[in-house]
Amino acid sequence: MSRPPLPTRRTLLATVPAALAATSLATSASAAAPIVGGGLAFVMNSAAANIGVIDMAREREIARLPVFRQPHHWALAPDGRTLLVGDAAGNGLFFLDPARGTMLGHRPFPDPYQLWFSPDGRFLVTAALRLNRVYVWQPGTLRLLKRFDIASMPSHIAFAPDSSMVYLSLQGTDRLAAIDLGALALRWVAPVGPAPAGVMWHRGQLLVGIMGSDYVSVVDPADGRVRERLPAGKGAHALFLDPEERRIYVGNRIAGTITAYDAASLARVRTYDRPGGADCMGFAPDGRIWMTLRWAAHVAILDPASGRSTTFPVGRSPHGLFLSNSPTLASRQGQMLNSA
Amino acid sequence: MLRYFFQDPFNALAGWLQSHLVLPILYATGGMRWEDIGFGWSLFAVYGLAQVLVTFAVCLPLEQLAPVERRPLGREVLTDVFYTLLSRVGLLPIVTFVLFYQVQVTVTGFFVDRGWIPPTLETLLPGLLGHPVATFFLYAVILDFADYWRHRLSHRFDWWYALHAVHHAQRQMTFWSDDRNHLLDDFLSALWFGAIALAIGIPPFQFPLLVLLLRFVESLSHANARVSFGWLGERLVVSPRFHRAHHGVPAAGRQSCNYGGVLPWWDMIFGTADFSSRYAPTGDPTAEEAMASGSYPAQQWAGVRRLGRTLLGRKLLGQGSAGYSR
């Protein structure tokens, strides 16, 4: 099998934003991996200081890309060509080629625990969980637009579809925060339930996984008022909508289960047993759900129809998970490019 | 999954601990915000337990086969066992994680807001990225150098030695004695290493066997064993003979020797090495009896009393020292 040509400095400069060109490119050659037809999965092994690159067809790790300390989450650049991975404890932002599974470079960055681009691609928002800060950056230049000191533990991020607002769970409290991206001002902070984790915009309202309890809060995005509580398992964490927008899945940390809701009615339709600390999920083209199991150092692949799952080992405390060929990703990417 | 247990038993045990003990407790007590740190503590506790077991398995036979002193283990050794379990498996890691998490947040946030992002060793020396074993060894050397000076200063200042004397008061030194420290002395050590961590980053956490090895050397160096590593070995790694000279009665207090924890290099460089072959009796004659043979609370309280006397004496007498040094 022939190895594709390594990216040169010139091709890198042509494909990544200007800010990335200023990063260290020293690791690109040593971390090269072949393009894999079946797609690549990237697993952020948060207690192993590396990113596992998985051949999705073979369900096997083919490379480990070193980072400084703790890679947690990721964001795909609006052009889809650069995957950003935040190394929170290492205060570093790493840039990867999602098609090749190679490292492009890195740069110092304050505690990028969670990071996400707004749907219109105009803002990069990062949640510095350890430092109790939320940063709003200009993509491309990575110029800081505004810093918000918000206690405590800002964690998961969700945007309004028109990119007017960003919402963050404050995991060290019982609150959710809303920031107006037009005015760059904090709009409200409201109680939604103990240790809120995952946040998702869904059909005009916000869904928030309540990790300190056993439910998902349905929140009014206008004022943060809790409209409804959806029963989940103990330790409800992150939420994910499938590509067909039929089901919403939430992992329950204490219960060791995954709850599936009907996306239209928000009725609970099924509960799957999946111990090991299910965290980030990704939807594969074959309909199966990939998920990191943080305390088991494995990735699980769940067939939502049969309820059966398989696992394979990855690094310690796998957290963020990116599937390069996920239909969800294609849909979101198309949305971002159309609105940009 | 069972196969994976044998591939990475540390993580498998830590994962089990996290899922079946730590998270349920955090959930029941409203502490789920700490779930991520909880896994760090679980790994730390598993490493700590492994350290204790490995040290026990190696050092106990050594102490039986080649003891420096033949005498039945006294009650004070049991207190040292308690210190070890507290330090390596139990409460102290939790306190360290929670307390220093907050300190780190405040200090790092202060610098980040002013445009300075604390580095890691790999950002200072970019060639290290992707070579984690080399990185770890470099961290180990730097931290051991820092520990040499922390240790030396804890003998230099009377108020600090008032606390550190708890470590030196033990007359029946065994491999359990390594963790016998006053809580305030541990706190000062953590502050010291916190400052170092801010300057060069915290070391990677993914090499339990190397961490085990370093902590094992420290425990072994306290063993009641007539063990020397030979002329060359003694100059590469701290041996029980080398460290016993530091704990010897003649070396208690201000004019001590052999401060190195793992590497004797710093003592050689800074002129504090003693490679003589004698095995002196250990202890600190200036320490009150409670500090030597009291219970855990008694030893801790004795340290506080001695610190108070040192500080108060200095203030009342207007002197630079309270006279505990030798």
Side-chain angles (χ1 to χ4, degrees):
Chain A
M1 183 175 176
S2 64
R3 183 180 288 268
L6 295 174
T8 64
R9 186 176 176 84
R10 177 172 296 185
T11 57
L12 284 171
L13 290 174
T15 54
V16 300
L20 313 194
T23 65
S24 164
L25 300 173
T27 57
S28 59
S30 61
I35 293 176
V36 175
L40 293 175
F42 295 77
V43 180
M44 283 108 238
N45 298 314
S46 64
N50 61 50
I51 300 163
V53 183
I54 313 293
D55 175 351
M56 289 181 67
R58 290 188 294 161
E59 296 172 10
R60 210 169 71 186
E61 190 176 77
I62 55 174
R64 283 194 176 178
L65 309 177
V67 299
F68 297 141
R69 294 293 175 274
Q70 282 182 12
H72 281 290
H73 293 284
W74 57 268
L76 188 65
D79 66 2
R81 293 177 180 172
T82 310
L83 180 67
L84 285 68
V85 174
D87 182 340
N91 292 313
L93 195 57
F94 284 78
F95 305 98
L96 287 77
D97 180 337
R100 293 172 182 272
T102 54
M103 186 70 80
L104 300 174
H106 58 84
R107 58 168 286 164
F109 208 85
D111 187 19
Y113 179 76
Q114 279 270 13
L115 56 160
W116 205 248
F117 289 94
S118 60
D120 63 7
R122 290 178 56 218
F123 303 100
L124 170 66
V125 176
T126 62
L129 179 140
R130 187 168 41 99
L131 301 180
N132 297 324
R133 309 277 195 274
V134 175
Y135 298 98
V136 182
W137 309 87
Q138 185 179 62
T141 63
L142 290 184
R143 184 171 70 86
L144 179 63
L145 298 175
K146 181 88 180 217
R147 184 190 90 217
F148 296 88
D149 296 357
I150 305 178
S152 67
M153 296 182 164
S155 183
H156 292 245
I157 299 171
F159 289 94
D162 63 1
S163 300
S164 61
M165 301 284 288
V166 61
Y167 306 90
L168 299 107
S169 56
L170 304 179
Q171 206 166 294
T173 69
D174 62 350
R175 286 157 199 273
L176 188 72
I179 293 172
D180 184 331
L181 286 173
L184 289 176
L186 184 66
R187 279 291 169 251
W188 51 258
V189 178
V192 293
V199 191
M200 188 173 83
W201 178 280
H202 182 65
R203 302 183 186 185
Q205 49 198 2
L206 293 164
L207 305 182
V208 185
I210 303 302
M211 191 166 56
S213 191
D214 57 358
Y215 58 89
V216 171
S217 287
V218 181
V219 177
D220 187 336
D223 55 11
R225 189 173 51 84
V226 176
R227 291 173 173 166
E228 190 183 354
R229 291 178 174 183
L230 310 176
K234 288 181 178 177
H237 195 77
L239 303 120
F240 299 88
L241 178 66
D242 73 4
E244 294 80 28
E245 302 192 4
R246 290 177 54 243
R247 294 276 185 271
I248 294 169
Y249 297 90
V250 58
N252 305 305
R253 282 282 171 76
I254 303 294
T257 59
I258 293 160
T259 305
Y261 300 95
D262 179 83
S265 65
L266 296 181
R268 184 165 53 177
V269 293
R270 188 161 179 180
T271 300
Y272 303 91
D273 281 331
R274 189 55 269 175
D279 200 293
C280 193
M281 298 185 199
F283 298 91
D286 63 6
R288 294 187 300 166
I289 307 171
W290 289 48
M291 65 191 73
T292 49
L293 302 179
R294 290 203 69 185
W295 322 133
H298 277 64
V299 161
I301 306 174
L302 172 72
D303 177 354
S306 69
R308 284 194 290 270
S309 63
T310 58
T311 64
F312 63 90
V314 291
R316 287 183 172 177
S317 193
H319 201 177
L321 173 69
F322 171 82
L323 305 185
S324 68
N325 61 1
S326 172
T328 305
L329 199 65
S331 158
R332 184 181 295 144
Q333 205 59 35
Q335 184 187 29
M336 290 176 80
L337 290 174
N338 289 334
S339 61
Chain B
M1 285 280 193
L2 188 62
R3 189 180 61 177
Y4 176 70
F5 175 85
F6 293 104
Q7 289 173 351
D8 190 350
F10 294 103
N11 192 85
L13 287 172
W16 186 90
L17 199 61
Q18 169 81 345
S19 297
H20 294 89
L21 182 69
V22 177
L23 283 185
I25 289 175
L26 289 177
Y27 187 82
T29 57
M32 280 300 282
R33 73 188 66 177
W34 302 112
E35 53 119 30
D36 206 8
I37 289 177
F39 185 65
W41 176 82
S42 297
L43 272 171
F44 201 100
V46 170
Y47 293 162
L49 191 61
Q51 285 164 18
V52 172
L53 293 176
V54 170
T55 305
F56 186 80
V58 174
C59 292
L60 192 69
L62 274 179
E63 291 193 343
Q64 297 294 318
L65 288 171
V68 176
E69 302 165 308
R70 283 194 187 276
R71 52 175 162 165
L73 296 180
R75 195 189 66 165
E76 52 270 42
V77 175
L78 285 179
T79 308
D80 287 0
V81 174
F82 179 73
Y83 272 103
T84 300
L85 295 177
L86 195 67
S87 171
R88 302 204 182 183
V89 186
L91 185 65
L92 283 182
I94 298 175
V95 173
T96 304
F97 269 109
V98 174
L99 181 64
F100 285 92
Y101 180 89
Q102 299 296 350
V103 172
Q104 189 201 33
V105 164
T106 305
V107 176
T108 307
F110 175 85
F111 285 117
V112 165
D113 291 348
R114 283 150 187 80
W116 183 71
I117 296 177
T120 62
L121 205 53
E122 298 97 313
T123 51
L124 297 172
L125 301 169
L128 287 175
L129 185 62
H131 302 284
V133 176
T135 306
F136 184 89
F137 274 115
L138 193 52
Y139 264 112
V141 171
I142 292 171
L143 293 177
D144 196 59
F145 173 71
D147 193 49
Y148 169 86
W149 282 106
R150 176 205 61 79
H151 192 185
R152 191 165 168 180
L153 291 175
S154 74
H155 282 257
R156 170 67 183 78
F157 296 110
D158 292 329
W159 61 268
W160 200 344
Y161 188 74
L163 301 169
H164 189 55
V166 170
H167 184 68
H168 279 271
Q170 176 60 285
R171 293 183 295 253
Q172 190 175 9
M173 207 167 78
T174 67
F175 64 89
W176 295 108
S177 306
D178 183 29
D179 293 301
R180 175 193 173 100
N181 291 307
H182 197 278
L183 277 173
L184 291 175
D185 199 15
D186 276 335
F187 178 76
L188 290 172
S189 298
L191 277 183
W192 182 270
F193 287 110
I196 303 289
L198 198 65
I200 62 168
I202 51 170
F205 195 52
Q206 67 268 37
F207 293 100
L209 292 178
L210 287 170
V211 175
L212 271 172
L213 184 68
L214 298 179
R215 296 302 304 265
F216 172 74
V217 170
E218 292 176 7
S219 291
L220 176 67
S221 70
H222 288 83
N224 171 32
R226 196 172 288 274
V227 173
S228 164
F229 295 162
W231 187 92
L232 181 61
E234 291 269 306
R235 284 157 179 78
L236 294 177
V237 180
V238 167
S239 71
R241 189 219 56 77
F242 185 86
H243 198 62
R244 191 176 180 89
H246 174 73
H247 276 269
V249 169
R254 200 162 191 167
Q255 299 300 323
S256 194
C257 61
N258 298 3
Y259 298 98
V262 175
L263 305 169
W265 311 343
W266 322 119
D267 286 294
M268 293 157 67
I269 292 169
F270 297 108
T272 51
D274 176 359
F275 286 105
S276 61
S277 58
R278 63 200 158 92
Y279 289 83
T282 59
D284 181 351
T286 69
E288 62 179 281
E289 188 55 31
M291 201 179 266
S293 59
S295 63
Y296 176 84
Q299 290 180 22
Q300 294 292 309
W301 182 234
V304 172
R305 277 202 305 271
R306 182 161 175 170
L307 175 64
R309 283 197 303 271
T310 306
L311 295 175
L312 198 61
R314 175 180 294 178
K315 190 174 178 183
L316 290 178
L317 300 173
Q319 294 174 347
S321 85
Y324 281 109
S325 57
R326 297 174 65 85

